[in-house]
Amino acid sequence: MKYVLVTGGVVSGLGKGVTASSIGVVLKACGLRVTSIKIDPYLNIDAGTMSPFEHGEVFVLDDGGEVDLDLGNYERFLDVALTRDNNITTGKIYQSVLDKERRGDYLGETVQVVPHITDAIKTWVESVSLMPVDGKEGPADVCVIELGGTVGDMESRPFIEALRQLSFSVGKEYAVRSDKDMFRLLVHYVMSANKLDILPLFKLHRELAALLFPVYRWQENFCLIHVSLIPVLGVVGEQKTKPTQHSVQDLREYGLTPHLLACRSAQPLLENTKEKLSQFCHVAAGNILNIHDVPNIWHIPLLLRNQNAHHSILQQLNLLSIAMPLDLRDWTKMAETYDNLTNSVRIAMVGKYVGFTDSYLSVVKALLHACVACSLKPSIDWIAASDLEDDTAELTPEAHAAAWETLKNAACVLVPGGFGDRGVKGMILAAKYARENNVPYLGICLGMQISVIEFARSVLSLERADSTEFDEHTPNPVVVFMPEGSRTHMGSTMRLGSRRTLFQTPECITSKLYHNSEHVDERHRHRYEVNPDVIGILEEAGLKFVGKNDSGRRMEILELPSHPFYVGVQFHPEFKSRPGKPSALFLGLILAATGQLETYLDQHPNTS
């Protein structure tokens, strides 16, 4: 297995995840199979219990793993399906070691960070790197590892030590020489020694060459790429290399030396900056990459290609002989298409965590994929749900008026997932506005439950209809706690991962968008669901549940047939959206917002 380790220095938030994903893209474009691992040095077992305001969204995998949002970047860029084990945390490592200690696996040894924790990290990395994630059999060619945080962080030190040991244990190995290599060496030997005429050598048998020369050569299996910041001081206006020098120095103190530097900057690096970095960081000038600001992140693989990053990595890993010529034509077309788009569509995003857009990163990416497929740029209007509420009208009338003006000027409305009762009244008002004014609406997870609550209150006149999440004593519980859920433990106790939804009719909009009259598999993350006991009265009033689980008791998809596009889904379709392969429901929302939905459905009938 070949390993590419991506570390970061100076400050966090430099885009290591996008850089690592882009490295994977260029290696994949060279015909190699790529997998990835994200290391998060926090003590949490996983990201499931972490606040969206602090950590961004929780990305959900097919196997139900709640992981760091960077794994979403890996899946989108590489078009792979990762597992929960592809996200390593300090909590997972310590838990596995302590479980072994309790079982007596260490036979009385004193359990220590070195070697027990570091060995556990190495074992985890080596075993997970062998797991195929691209739907093919056998391990990948290259595993890209991203180490979260920055070099020098106290919590990262056990991982850095483990990766140092890994680089030593797998860094070099003997590999059998090819026939071509042996023949070339034989010719070189004979010509330089002037012992034989060159012509007869072409008739020598391969065994003769093997007898004269060793059939082994050293092969590198480890490549370290360090991502660092090149700031420009406003007063001086000079690109400063000192932070990167210190960061590389810190890395060396831990026993790791970068083979390539990926320098983040606002503007392209100057030649004298590269020379200075090369001199003081001991990295060849050709291996100093510049990841400067670009119009969209799809340009990052193109930046790497233009600087021959793939060649440097392949050379370090001795993969030049098996790699194909790099082919990024489709990726280039996608990036340039987005740059040339002029028309846009306004999307009202009514959520709880709009102050930190990474909280909805996959939703934003899914909207981008859908808009590009429709030759449009997304214009997302972020609306804090609480700003739509009557209480805000009294406290901050300007914010209330601005929120409603933004909502009314949007071509469609999207209410994403979330937890807790803050902003729920505003979401209900947004759903009601979209329903009553025939504005295309997509409700995801909580957004679906909101549409049920609003419909029950407005159409069925059940004024106190609510979710038991928000009002445990509501007389009309239209959304209830799932019976298999836990009320005492938060982590990994929700309904998680890929589940099958069965369409109840092939004539519904959702079925047509998925081009499948029978079923769809999407990822879930929820602990509340629509109360199956109220489905009858809701459907009699016009709200149709067109998608259910295999038991028929769990509601997955709702539609309002009298509305141009009013869809709610209990799952999270954004997690499977990919560049060039947008999520069906996000595509449907944008098509409906631009008046193209009926034409699209007529041209793309169900295929199953």
Side-chain angles (χ1 to χ4, degrees):
M1 174 60 64
K2 307 284 188 177
Y3 296 94
V4 176
L5 172 62
V6 179
T7 60
V10 184
V11 295
S12 59
L14 286 177
K16 292 192 304 297
V18 174
T19 302
S21 303
S22 300
I23 290 167
V25 168
V26 296
L27 293 177
K28 187 176 178 181
C30 291
L32 302 174
R33 293 174 60 198
V34 180
T35 185
S36 61
I37 294 174
K38 172 66 188 298
I39 297 176
D40 285 303
Y42 47 68
L43 276 170
N44 304 64
I45 299 297
D46 56 38
T49 59
M50 300 178 74
S51 167
F53 283 117
E54 177 183 344
H55 194 68
E57 77 170 1
V58 175
F59 191 81
V60 179
L61 303 170
D62 277 344
D63 65 0
E66 297 173 283
V67 296
D68 183 83
L69 57 82
D70 279 322
L71 274 80
N73 283 325
Y74 302 153
E75 284 206 343
R76 284 186 289 270
F77 272 51
L78 300 175
D79 194 18
V80 295
L82 301 175
T83 71
R84 67 179 74 226
D85 290 337
N86 290 86
N87 191 194
I88 303 175
T89 68
T90 300
K92 286 181 179 179
I93 295 296
Y94 274 77
Q95 186 180 58
S96 68
V97 170
L98 291 175
D99 286 345
K100 287 184 178 181
E101 186 273 333
R102 290 292 85 186
R103 290 195 304 265
D105 292 1
Y106 296 114
L107 302 177
E109 291 182 57
T110 300
V111 180
Q112 302 175 88
V113 173
V114 181
H116 301 100
I117 294 297
T118 52
D119 283 351
I121 295 168
K122 287 190 296 180
T123 300
W124 194 305
V125 168
E126 291 180 290
S127 61
V128 171
S129 66
L130 297 176
M131 296 167 48
V133 294
D134 55 3
K136 301 177 183 178
E137 294 184 358
D141 299 306
V142 181
C143 177
V144 179
I145 306 169
E146 179 196 346
L147 176 61
T150 56
V151 173
D153 294 344
M154 183 179 295
E155 58 267 27
S156 298
R157 292 181 184 179
F159 291 101
I160 293 177
E161 171 58 20
L163 293 167
R164 182 198 66 78
Q165 294 179 21
L166 181 70
S167 71
F168 179 76
S169 61
V170 307
K172 290 185 178 182
E173 66 179 2
Y174 280 124
V176 179
R177 291 190 185 278
S178 67
D179 291 349
K180 183 185 296 185
D181 286 339
M182 290 191 292
F183 183 74
R184 184 170 57 247
L185 285 172
L186 181 58
V187 171
H188 176 73
Y189 170 79
V190 173
M191 290 183 68
S192 61
N194 196 25
K195 291 183 178 180
L196 293 173
D197 186 9
I198 191 64
L199 290 177
L201 293 178
F202 288 97
K203 298 180 181 180
L204 287 177
H205 198 266
R206 57 179 290 184
E207 281 77 12
L208 176 59
L211 286 173
L212 293 175
F213 291 92
V215 295
Y216 297 104
R217 62 185 169 84
W218 281 113
Q219 176 169 285
E220 291 282 356
N221 291 324
F222 196 86
C223 178
L224 173 55
I225 301 175
H226 189 59
V227 182
S228 188
L229 177 68
I230 305 296
V232 174
L233 298 183
V235 177
V236 181
E238 177 188 358
Q239 293 179 337
K240 309 299 279 186
T241 64
K242 193 67 71 176
T244 298
Q245 292 178 42
H246 287 307
S247 182
V248 171
Q249 183 178 350
D250 289 342
L251 198 58
R252 280 212 186 86
E253 288 177 358
Y254 293 119
L256 288 169
T257 298
H259 301 103
L260 292 90
L261 285 180
C263 301
R264 288 284 291 112
S265 61
Q267 301 296 328
L269 288 185
L270 301 174
E271 283 304 316
N272 67 323
T273 305
K274 280 191 175 184
E275 292 173 5
K276 196 172 182 181
L277 286 168
S278 177
Q279 180 180 1
F280 292 104
C281 296
H282 299 279
V283 176
N287 286 356
I288 296 177
L289 311 173
N290 183 206
I291 313 296
H292 56 78
D293 292 350
V294 290
N296 66 76
I297 62 171
W298 292 341
H299 280 278
I300 303 299
L302 306 182
L303 276 182
L304 296 176
R305 175 201 63 188
N306 296 341
Q307 299 174 75
N308 284 320
H310 59 290
H311 185 274
S312 297
I313 297 170
L314 294 172
Q315 187 174 46
Q316 169 63 25
L317 296 176
N318 282 325
L319 288 173
L320 285 172
S321 60
I322 67 170
M324 303 293 290
L326 184 141
D327 184 2
L328 281 175
R329 286 174 295 181
D330 291 341
W331 196 275
T332 303
K333 181 179 178 181
M334 182 174 64
E336 292 177 349
T337 296
Y338 178 77
D339 290 342
N340 294 326
L341 294 176
T342 54
N343 297 326
S344 63
V345 56
R346 297 190 67 175
I347 306 155
M349 178 90 81
V350 184
K352 302 163 71 73
Y353 319 116
V354 296
F356 185 37
T357 56
D358 271 1
S359 301
Y360 300 114
L361 182 61
S362 290
V363 175
V364 172
K365 298 303 180 185
L367 287 171
L368 172 63
H369 303 159
C371 286
V372 171
C374 296
S375 298
L376 296 166
K377 280 193 173 184
S379 177
I380 301 176
D381 294 324
W382 297 91
I383 302 175
S386 55
D387 286 349
L388 297 170
E389 298 172 1
D390 294 339
D391 292 344
T392 304
E394 297 180 6
L395 297 174
T396 53
E398 297 84 1
H400 180 265
W404 273 102
E405 182 180 2
T406 301
L407 180 66
K408 292 178 179 179
N409 287 332
C412 58
V413 177
L414 193 155
V415 177
F419 298 91
D421 61 357
R422 184 180 58 82
V424 164
K425 292 179 181 178
M427 294 181 187
I428 291 173
L429 290 170
K432 182 177 182 179
Y433 169 80
R435 181 180 60 81
E436 292 181 342
N437 293 276
N438 286 334
V439 177
Y441 174 89
L442 177 59
I444 298 173
C445 197
L446 175 61
M448 172 189 175
Q449 297 170 9
I450 289 294
S451 61
V452 172
I453 296 170
E454 188 280 321
F455 191 87
R457 290 182 182 181
S458 301
V459 179
L460 298 179
S461 300
L462 301 175
E463 296 182 1
R464 292 191 59 191
D466 214 332
S467 167
T468 55
E469 179 181 8
F470 314 134
D471 181 2
E472 292 184 3
H473 306 292
T474 174
N476 306 114
V478 294
V479 177
V480 295
F481 192 79
M482 291 169 50
E484 68 267 38
S486 172
R487 295 185 181 274
T488 58
H489 289 72
M490 301 292 288
S492 296
T493 58
M494 289 185 276
R495 185 168 179 247
L496 294 164
S498 182
R499 309 290 178 113
R500 176 153 292 184
T501 294
L502 304 178
F503 293 118
Q504 305 302 295
T505 170
E507 298 305 314
C508 62
I509 289 177
T510 313
S511 168
K512 294 177 180 178
L513 285 170
Y514 278 106
H515 312 310
N516 190 323
S517 60
E518 297 180 357
H519 62 82
V520 64
D521 298 318
E522 292 282 11
R523 299 175 184 178
H524 294 67
R525 185 175 186 253
H526 64 107
R527 56 168 50 93
Y528 287 84
E529 63 180 348
V530 178
N531 187 350
D533 296 335
V534 301
I535 300 306
I537 60 172
L538 289 169
E539 292 203 315
E540 286 178 8
L543 194 64
K544 301 300 180 183
F545 291 88
V546 299
K548 301 180 182 180
N549 77 330
D550 52 6
S551 73
R553 293 272 299 169
R554 186 155 280 161
M555 303 302 113
E556 295 282 5
I557 307 172
L558 67 79
E559 291 182 11
L560 193 60
S562 60
H563 194 283
F565 187 88
Y566 193 88
V567 177
V569 291
Q570 188 59 73
F571 48 78
H572 289 264
E574 67 269 24
F575 292 141
K576 285 192 173 182
S577 185
R578 302 285 185 265
K581 293 187 285 186
S583 163
L585 294 177
F586 282 83
L587 181 61
L589 177 69
I590 301 304
L591 289 169
T594 55
Q596 304 177 69
L597 181 59
E598 289 188 14
T599 302
Y600 175 84
L601 295 179
D602 290 339
Q603 295 174 350
H604 299 81
N606 284 351
T607 57
S608 64

